[in-house]
Amino acid sequence: MAACWARVRGRLRKEVGEVEYRTWLRQMTLTGIDGDEAVVVLPTRFLRDWVNSHYGDRLRALWQAEDPSIRRIDIRVAQPNGAEAETVLAAEMQDASAAPEDAPGLAESLAPRPPAERSAPEPRSDWIAPLEARFTFDTFVVGKPNEFAYACARRVAEQPASPGFNPLFLYGGVGLGKTHLMHAIAWAIREHHPERTVAYMSAEKFMYRFIAALRSQNTMEFKESLRSVDVLMIDDLQFLIGKDNTQEEFFHTFNALVDQGKQIVVSADKSPSDLSGIEDRLRTRLGCGMVADIHATTYELRLSILQAKAAAARVEVPTKVLELLAHKITANVRELEGALNRLVAHANLFHRPVTLETAQEVLHDLLRAHEKRVSIEEIQRRVAEHYNIRLTDMSSARRARNVARPRQVAMYLAKQLTQRSLPEIGRRFGNRDHTTVMHAVSRVAELMQQDASFAEDVALLRKMLET
Ligand code: ADP
Ligand code: MG
């Protein structure tokens, strides 16, 4: 049996690779065969759940290939002699991210906790989603659009649950760094306050767990262990919109934790007041700590991010190329990163330096997508439709606000999305002067700063036109 087990392990090790094997699977021990079931143990619940969900089927298949009489694999937690199980958790989190040098100081959090602190109910380890090693404060590039959110995140990481910062509500569009900042907070708290338990999960996961608990009539355990954490972080709260029961549960957990002086950090794609579909009492509570938004990136921020990431990847990328990307790939940081990664991968694969030419070649689809030609007519038509005015009003002399504003929006979009000059745009809008266009462009930009729902409207129009 031992030989059979050794072969199964060997196969699995080959399949998943050395790093993955060492991180997750090395600690598996076969404790026996029970009828058609092989019993394998791991030192913690977290590892057990991870191995079960990621490698369970594979393990069974490999074993059956060796010995068809084995039908099931029972993966269990080893009964710890003493209380080592919990302290291994932190080590696993670090393993999960596989690059400890990126997260300095984590070793401190591996220190065993004094036994006195273990009496409270333990949060279930599998609630703590693995943290991404790269998502630390060190790797977060700060610029105008995110400096406030960054400062708030740092503050919460240094002094969890300080008045005025609880809850911390981070919001902004996709790919702008919300998850990055949340992981950074979690890493930093682990480092500076290793005695505090941090639970980080997506709202979706929260809901999923809650429903599973309801189904298995385990809601007490769910509630208790969640209420025993010191810092609760829920990412992408917008997932809870319309999920009334889960929202209710979250609301109670939230209150219980805040009352105990525990820190809550929440992220969402909108501000509390714009999150329609969230119960009012929850909205009120969400907004009563610190609300920090992450704005769309600016050219400067995109360029600094690219510089930082290129340096981290240790690949020489000419400034011209970084500028091209910062200029063309404006949607969000995730896309920007994707483009750079492609360039870097290409350079490594072919041992060729990155140049403007190779960049254009490698990224031609991306760059072209962002160059999609939109005509002024198309813009006028879409904007008129959106604001429910007549197309002819785009070039009419009417100055009533309800037509003048949409017209300005169309001019703004024409400037943003086409290569046309200001005088040319003016001509297409009923022979207006280029200064009128200029005024429209700056007026719309200004309004977008002041009025979030207007900004959203314009962004939506832009998106429709670009895709
Ligand atoms: P969100 O959760 O807001 O959708 P993420 O936090 O997942 O966005 O960020 C998307 C990607 O962009 C991640 O790889 C993240 O590291 C990167 N990123 C976002 N903002 C920054 C920043 N200011 N500096 C460095 N990387 C960033
Ligand atoms: Mg996210």
Side-chain angles (χ1 to χ4, degrees):
M1 203 29 76
C4 180
W5 174 228
R7 281 195 298 275
V8 170
R9 284 162 66 113
R11 295 244 160 86
L12 194 59
R13 186 181 199 137
K14 262 210 190 101
E15 279 183 15
V16 304
E18 198 53 34
V19 173
E20 222 169 288
Y21 183 84
R22 265 192 287 141
T23 308
W24 303 115
L25 302 164
R26 192 186 43 192
Q27 300 190 63
M28 285 189 302
T29 315
L30 175 67
T31 58
I33 303 286
D34 186 2
D36 60 355
E37 192 172 79
V39 182
V40 168
V41 299
L42 281 156
T44 65
R45 279 180 292 195
F46 179 75
L47 266 183
R48 174 204 59 195
D49 292 345
W50 186 271
V51 169
N52 220 345
S53 58
H54 291 80
Y55 308 102
D57 289 343
R58 211 44 217 141
L59 263 176
R60 190 168 47 83
L62 287 171
W63 206 313
Q64 269 196 324
E66 287 291 332
D67 178 355
S69 70
I70 298 295
R71 298 224 128 87
R72 277 174 307 160
I73 308 249
D74 184 8
I75 304 177
R76 297 185 192 163
V77 185
Q79 289 310 315
N81 44 350
E84 67 188 314
E86 293 136 36
T87 53
V88 184
L89 173 65
E92 286 161 14
M93 305 305 301
Q94 193 182 12
D95 275 359
S97 38
E101 71 269 27
D102 286 353
L106 273 166
E108 288 162 40
S109 64
L110 306 184
R113 284 189 238 158
E117 289 185 15
R118 291 214 189 92
S119 50
E122 280 293 310
R124 284 172 44 176
S125 51
D126 56 345
W127 272 352
I128 305 171
L131 298 175
E132 178 70 48
R134 328 180 268 123
F135 290 0
T136 61
F137 283 126
D138 293 344
T139 58
F140 192 81
V141 180
V142 186
K144 267 259 163 316
N146 59 27
E147 64 188 4
F148 183 65
Y150 172 83
C152 293
R154 272 229 102 113
R155 168 66 193 258
V156 163
E158 274 152 29
Q159 295 170 42
S162 52
F165 288 83
N166 199 16
L168 172 61
F169 189 100
L170 297 169
Y171 76 94
V174 269
L176 296 181
K178 301 182 294 296
T179 299
H180 189 139
L181 276 182
M182 290 183 98
H183 286 212
I185 295 174
W187 281 125
I189 292 180
R190 285 237 176 94
E191 183 185 347
H192 300 297
H193 309 276
E195 74 290 353
R196 304 205 188 187
T197 32
V198 180
Y200 164 89
M201 72 193 98
S202 65
E204 211 180 3
K205 198 51 152 264
F206 180 90
M207 179 183 76
Y208 172 81
R209 301 279 188 202
F210 175 56
I211 291 173
L214 280 179
R215 206 175 290 140
S216 60
Q217 302 184 322
N218 256 343
T219 46
M220 268 326 278
E221 193 198 333
F222 176 88
K223 285 178 209 282
E224 276 175 21
S225 55
L226 209 50
R227 283 167 202 191
S228 71
V229 305
D230 297 302
V231 181
L232 176 64
M233 310 177 100
I234 303 283
D235 205 351
D236 287 322
L237 191 82
Q238 69 272 10
F239 270 115
L240 295 195
I241 285 174
K243 321 268 166 43
D244 295 346
N245 289 340
T246 314
Q247 250 186 62
E248 169 103 16
E249 184 56 34
F250 175 66
F251 179 71
H252 292 306
T253 308
F254 182 107
N255 287 336
L257 287 171
V258 171
D259 290 346
Q260 293 174 52
K262 307 298 179 59
Q263 175 75 46
I264 309 264
V265 182
V266 167
S267 86
D269 62 350
K270 296 201 187 68
S271 71
S273 51
D274 287 335
L275 271 181
S276 50
I278 289 277
E279 254 190 277
D280 279 340
R281 54 182 191 167
L282 177 55
R283 184 203 315 285
T284 310
R285 296 232 57 178
L286 286 171
C288 70
M290 182 56 71
V291 177
D293 56 343
I294 307 185
H295 298 275
T297 57
T298 56
Y299 174 78
E300 289 74 26
L301 178 60
R302 289 194 294 276
L303 193 59
S304 332
I305 289 175
L306 285 168
Q307 280 160 344
K309 303 221 179 231
R314 298 203 182 83
V315 168
E316 192 77 36
V317 184
T319 308
K320 277 265 166 293
V321 173
L322 298 181
E323 285 171 354
L324 173 78
L325 298 189
H327 183 64
K328 295 280 188 184
I329 302 177
T330 55
N332 61 48
V333 184
R334 191 172 294 140
E335 272 195 26
L336 200 60
E337 222 175 22
L340 184 67
N341 287 344
R342 245 158 84 179
L343 276 187
V344 168
H346 188 269
N348 287 336
L349 202 57
F350 296 103
H351 302 292
R352 276 201 287 166
V354 179
T355 64
L356 207 51
E357 288 71 41
T358 53
Q360 258 150 353
E361 191 186 304
V362 175
L363 301 175
H364 75 106
D365 54 331
L366 266 184
L367 297 176
R368 211 187 37 216
H370 288 271
E371 239 175 26
K372 177 175 177 249
R373 297 255 180 245
V374 187
S375 66
I376 293 184
E377 288 69 35
E378 171 85 1
I379 294 172
Q380 292 178 329
R381 195 174 56 73
R382 286 280 199 161
V383 175
E385 258 168 30
H386 181 81
Y387 288 100
N388 211 4
I389 62 170
R390 287 188 310 245
L391 183 57
T392 50
D393 277 331
M394 285 290 163
S395 12
S396 76
R398 291 181 58 202
R399 284 158 168 250
R401 165 80 74 87
N402 69 327
V403 297
R405 183 75 80 231
R407 191 189 293 132
Q408 286 181 322
V409 169
M411 289 183 192
Y412 169 87
L413 289 169
K415 179 74 190 92
Q416 301 286 321
L417 301 178
T418 72
Q419 308 290 320
R420 308 275 173 231
S421 64
L422 294 174
E424 171 133 31
I425 295 173
R427 266 199 299 284
R428 308 282 205 91
F429 283 82
N431 259 328
R432 286 181 157 79
D433 192 68
H434 77 277
T435 53
T436 309
V437 182
M438 224 153 71
H439 173 73
V441 171
S442 59
R443 183 75 188 122
V444 169
E446 188 180 288
L447 279 173
M448 285 174 75
Q449 285 288 326
Q450 293 162 1
D451 179 346
S453 77
F454 176 75
E456 216 166 81
D457 244 22
V458 177
L460 186 74
L461 275 164
R462 181 181 182 136
K463 203 168 203 165
M464 289 194 316
L465 285 160
E466 277 179 331
T467 48

